[in-house]
């Protein structure tokens, strides 16, 4: 069965520091991959997605992610975090043309001033 | 303004009392889906719909029903709610399944 693992439940970084959130997936074919962000009390917002092509994808708010097929990973990165990046981040895998979507457990990001 | 509207925002009910959570989108999206969010489990897909009268099960469909009689609406029906359905529910839509999902603001459901 398809699955998504986000190994870090909670990460704390200082403002201005770099960030990497990990995501590993289990799926036999090339997946559709997504990162979403959820601010407190809000719905989810798409940061970026990968379907094919260049394995390094750029998203909104200065985020990027790299697809590594050999590691079944799709890690999210940002060179310098801002206090407004504090939120919960979800990695997701789509299959059956991305009609079915499986989310990871989420990583809560706290920013220290 | 492009949006997905869910109602109600908060709902407290009792075991066995049928309820419906409505979802409407104004973007002419073909794809709509429902998720529940529980602490430590992320979001899990309940049902999805590719178009009018076309629906299919997600990962956790037990105890839920959906219908898609109009393109803009995709209600979630709990015919006999139980306490284990207490959760935060999100509706989402997109032009197709592999495009950016637009999420509603969520419905916090408590079943006593």
């Amino acid at each position: 069965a398809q699955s998504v693992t986000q190994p870090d439940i909670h990460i704390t970084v200082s403002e201005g520091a770099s960030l990497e959130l990990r995501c590993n997936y289990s799926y036999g074919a090339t997946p559709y991959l997504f990162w979403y962000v959820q601010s407190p009390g809000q719905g989810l917002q798409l940061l970026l997605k990968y379907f094919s092509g260049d394995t390094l994808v750029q998203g909104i708010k200065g985020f990027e992610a790299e697809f590594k097929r050999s590691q079944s990973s799709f890690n999210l990165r940002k060179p310098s975090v801002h206090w407004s990046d504090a939120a919960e981040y979800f990695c997701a895998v789509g299959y059956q043309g991305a009609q079915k979507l499986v989310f990871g457990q989420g990583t809560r990001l706290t920013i220290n001033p | 303004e492009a949006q997905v509207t869910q109602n109600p925002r908060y709902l407290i009910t009792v075991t066995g009392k049928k309820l419906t959570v409505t979802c409407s989108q104004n973007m002419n999206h073909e794809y709509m889906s429902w998720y529940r969010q529980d602490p430590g489990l992320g979001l899990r897909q309940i049902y999805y719909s590719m178009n009018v009268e076309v629906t299919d099960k997600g990962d956790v469909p037990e105890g839920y029903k959906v219908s898609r009689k109009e393109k803009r609406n995709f209600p979630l029906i709990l015919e006999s709610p139980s306490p284990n359905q207490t959760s935060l529910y999100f509706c989402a839509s997109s032009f197709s399944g592999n495009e950016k999902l637009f999420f509603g603001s969520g419905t916090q459901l408590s079943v006593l």
Side-chain angles (χ1 to χ4, degrees):
Chain A
Q2 293 73 15
S3 66
V4 179
T5 301
Q6 293 180 245
D8 304 306
I9 296 172
H10 184 205
I11 283 181
T12 300
V13 299
S14 298
E15 189 166 17
S18 64
L19 172 70
E20 182 168 26
L21 302 182
R22 296 182 291 164
C23 173
N24 293 97
Y25 65 90
S26 171
Y27 183 52
T30 300
Y32 296 87
L33 295 163
F34 306 84
W35 274 100
Y36 283 86
V37 60
Q38 183 181 33
S39 298
Q42 303 294 317
L44 279 73
Q45 180 184 21
L46 180 69
L47 287 174
L48 47 78
K49 62 183 181 182
Y50 172 80
F51 294 164
S52 63
D54 192 348
T55 56
L56 184 64
V57 294
Q58 303 296 320
I60 63 171
K61 305 185 180 189
F63 286 93
E64 67 177 25
E66 186 171 13
F67 170 56
K68 292 186 177 180
R69 185 187 303 276
S70 61
Q71 298 176 20
S72 297
S73 69
F74 188 57
N75 294 349
L76 182 72
R77 300 194 292 251
K78 187 169 185 178
S80 176
V81 297
H82 185 262
W83 64 266
S84 60
D85 293 325
E88 188 148 22
Y89 292 79
F90 292 94
C91 180
V93 171
Y95 59 103
Q96 288 185 205
Q99 296 171 32
K100 291 202 165 190
L101 207 57
V102 176
F103 283 83
Q105 304 93 320
T107 297
R108 184 161 61 93
L109 176 64
T110 299
I111 308 294
N112 280 338
Chain B
E1 179 189 354
Q3 59 185 359
V4 177
T5 304
Q6 289 179 234
N7 281 298
R9 188 79 169 85
Y10 300 93
L11 179 58
I12 301 174
T13 189
V14 295
T15 299
K17 186 175 182 182
K18 180 179 179 179
L19 66 91
T20 299
V21 184
T22 63
C23 174
S24 181
Q25 49 91 7
N26 63 359
M27 295 167 279
N28 201 35
H29 285 167
E30 292 193 344
Y31 178 89
M32 297 185 74
S33 58
W34 277 102
Y35 303 87
R36 60 178 288 174
Q37 183 176 17
D38 301 288
L41 297 178
L43 283 82
R44 292 178 292 168
Q45 191 175 41
I46 303 171
Y47 270 96
Y48 65 94
S49 169
M50 286 303 297
N51 213 326
V52 175
E53 302 291 3
V54 180
T55 64
D56 206 348
K57 296 177 181 178
D59 288 330
V60 289
E62 296 79 18
Y64 304 95
K65 284 178 57 177
V66 293
S67 69
R68 188 93 181 271
K69 293 183 170 53
E70 304 167 282
K71 198 171 187 178
R72 64 182 293 125
N73 296 324
F74 191 45
L76 180 69
I77 303 158
L78 285 72
E79 296 211 323
S80 184
S82 62
N84 64 12
Q85 293 178 297
T86 292
S87 187
L88 177 59
Y89 291 86
F90 286 101
C91 178
S93 71
S94 69
F95 285 107
S96 65
N98 57 11
E99 292 298 322
K100 170 185 174 180
L101 278 172
F102 290 79
F103 281 82
S105 299
T107 295
Q108 181 64 59
L109 172 65
S110 296
V111 183
L112 306 177

